Amino acid sequence: MEQSITPELIKQNNRNRIYEYIYRQGDKGISQQEISIALNISRPTVAYNLRELENDGLIQQSGLLEVDQQGRKPVIWTANADYKIAIGVEILRKVVKIIAINLYASKIAREVIEIEYANHESYFKSVSERVKKFIASLKLKHANEKILGIGFALQGLVSADGTTVIYGEILKCTGLKVDVFQKFLDYPCRFIHEPDGAALSELWVSPELEKAVYLSMSVHLGGAVIANRKIMNGMHRHSATFEHITAQPDGELCYCGKRGCFETICSMEALVGANNYPDEFFKRVRGNDPEASRRWRVFLKYLARLINDLHLVTDMKFILGGHLAPFFNDDDIRVLYDEIREQTPFEEDEDFILISKMPSHNITIGAALPYVLEFLESLGVKR
């Protein structure tokens, strides 16, 4: 049944349109007259909604518009970016990363804590206490009302409702419930698969992106398929687990129990080792160190094979993300295209491999983003 158009519905629609228009202006802001003209809404209606939105704390006056004419200068209105805040937490084997973001997904604060994962209540309580301490450090007024929720990014597949880890071999946490954190925290909590969080971050900074394959090359290899600006998870929640496609049938043992998965070749851990950092490795690569250069060539060769295999199926753009993404240079991308041409039957243009626009904090920000997206959508703002 179609919803009848009532005065209340018109009023709410005007409010949402005005807030959305202000929000999309970002820091530069907009004047009342400009809003009225752009949205074709009467000046009195705009003025009324501006007062209401300001009273609710959603928008704020941010100076005066510089104009040539004499008389009173128009007020510039901007969205109150810190009206609501979301928290993202990344759970890794030896560290926990925490971030707070505002309604523009900008970082407010960040902290990294060294704490080894343990599937035990003492660990969950300890992490929760550190999250609460982090929130307290933000010195928020009415934090219970201001914080939208806490997203926990995990190296494991997660149920559709974000409550359960359905496959967590890396941390040995299959079956883990978000309740282990929720019972210590006063905010809504949910799990998210790490690559999904990274892909959400990519969608946030790339409004033009409609469909793509996202490859997350961090400590572990992961991925996501984006279609119609949504992440596709599949029937059993394990689509885009490219890391477990077999690259070498008799290769290294993967954490999944099988041998030769792409995880054992194209993850950061496989490239630089479990206890090393990529910075030093790439200094050696760019300095033509023989062993480092050999390892990097092997990495690129197998990465090209993975991209080609997936590109033959999807024919989409590929976004290289994760901790390794910032270390790729133009020569590396050229090597990938050269390798792909050797493998594919098609004449491929060099137009489908892209480097992530958001390699920093992408997973923790992505863990928090669902709360921001839901809140903005409730106000008529769609990303």
Side-chain angles (χ1 to χ4, degrees), residues 213-217 221-223 242 303 306-307 310 318-322:
V213 176
Y214 183 91
L215 288 175
S216 179
M217 299 170 294
L221 181 64
F242 314 130
L303 180 62
L306 177 60
I307 292 173
L310 297 174
F318 278 73
I319 299 171
L320 305 183

Side-chain angles (χ1 to χ4, degrees), residues 10 19-20 42 55 61 68 97 160 164 198 202 207-208 225 232 236 256-257 270 272 298 360 363:
I10 293 172
Y19 176 78
E20 179 187 25
S42 70
N55 289 338
Q61 299 182 34
D68 295 331
K97 301 177 182 181
T164 309
E202 198 67 33
E208 78 289 350
V225 175
M232 298 174 61
H236 305 107
C256 73
V272 304
V298 171
S360 298
I363 293 171

Side-chain angles (χ1 to χ4, degrees), residues 260-292:
C261 298
F262 274 98
E263 161 69 22
T264 65
I265 305 169
C266 293
S267 65
M268 190 173 81
E269 185 170 278
L271 181 65
V272 304
N275 299 312
N276 297 312
Y277 296 94
D279 309 65
E280 185 59 36
F281 175 81
F282 281 96
K283 284 181 184 177
R284 291 165 54 204
V285 170
R286 304 312 175 198
N288 295 316
D289 175 84
E291 177 57 20

Side-chain angles (χ1 to χ4, degrees), residues 122-340:
S122 61
Y123 172 85
F124 307 128
K125 183 177 181 180
S126 179
V127 170
S128 299
E129 291 298 327
R130 295 303 295 264
V131 171
K132 287 194 285 189
K133 186 177 179 181
F134 173 80
I135 291 171
S137 73
L138 302 177
K139 295 181 168 52
L140 304 173
K141 291 183 178 179
H142 310 296
N144 285 352
E145 298 175 11
K146 204 171 187 71
I147 292 178
L148 295 167
I150 304 171
F152 289 86
L154 290 161
Q155 297 167 321
L157 302 179
V158 174
S159 62
D161 60 6
T163 64
T164 309
V165 177
I166 59 175
Y167 181 85
E169 279 300 304
I170 294 174
L171 296 177
K172 303 299 180 186
C173 63
T174 300
L176 188 70
K177 301 285 187 181
V178 77
D179 293 347
V180 299
F181 295 108
Q182 182 72 78
K183 68 182 179 180
F184 297 114
L185 297 164
D186 297 327
Y187 313 100
C189 297
R190 68 175 64 165
F191 287 146
I192 186 171
H193 187 207
E194 271 198 357
D196 289 354
L200 276 179
S201 293
E202 198 67 33
L203 283 167
W204 181 271
V205 297
S206 305
E208 78 289 350
L209 185 63
E210 289 292 330
K211 57 183 179 179
V213 176
Y214 183 91
L215 288 175
S216 179
M217 299 170 294
S218 290
V219 177
H220 296 282
L221 181 64
V225 175
I226 298 167
N228 298 320
R229 292 192 59 78
K230 302 289 184 185
I231 295 172
M232 298 174 61
N233 291 115
M235 289 174 57
H236 305 107
R237 305 290 296 177
H238 60 64
S239 70
T241 50
F242 314 130
E243 62 270 29
H244 297 301
I245 297 174
T246 302
Q248 298 173 329
D250 299 318
E252 296 290 327
L253 185 67
C254 179
Y255 64 80
C256 73
K258 308 298 182 183
R259 288 196 173 273
C261 298
F262 274 98
E263 161 69 22
T264 65
I265 305 169
C266 293
S267 65
M268 190 173 81
E269 185 170 278
L271 181 65
V272 304
N275 299 312
N276 297 312
Y277 296 94
D279 309 65
E280 185 59 36
F281 175 81
F282 281 96
K283 284 181 184 177
R284 291 165 54 204
V285 170
R286 304 312 175 198
N288 295 316
D289 175 84
E291 177 57 20
S293 297
R294 183 195 66 79
R295 292 178 68 86
W296 184 230
R297 284 195 302 271
V298 171
F299 182 98
L300 290 174
K301 183 179 183 68
Y302 277 94
L303 180 62
R305 183 198 294 184
L306 177 60
I307 292 173
N308 180 59
D309 288 350
L310 297 174
H311 193 239
L312 288 171
V313 176
T314 64
D315 196 17
M316 290 183 181
K317 292 185 181 299
F318 278 73
I319 299 171
L320 305 183
H323 296 148
L324 290 180
F327 295 97
F328 279 76
N329 61 25
D330 291 342
D331 289 339
D332 299 327
I333 301 300
R334 195 169 299 112
V335 168
L336 289 176
Y337 280 123
D338 288 344
E339 289 285 346
I340 288 168

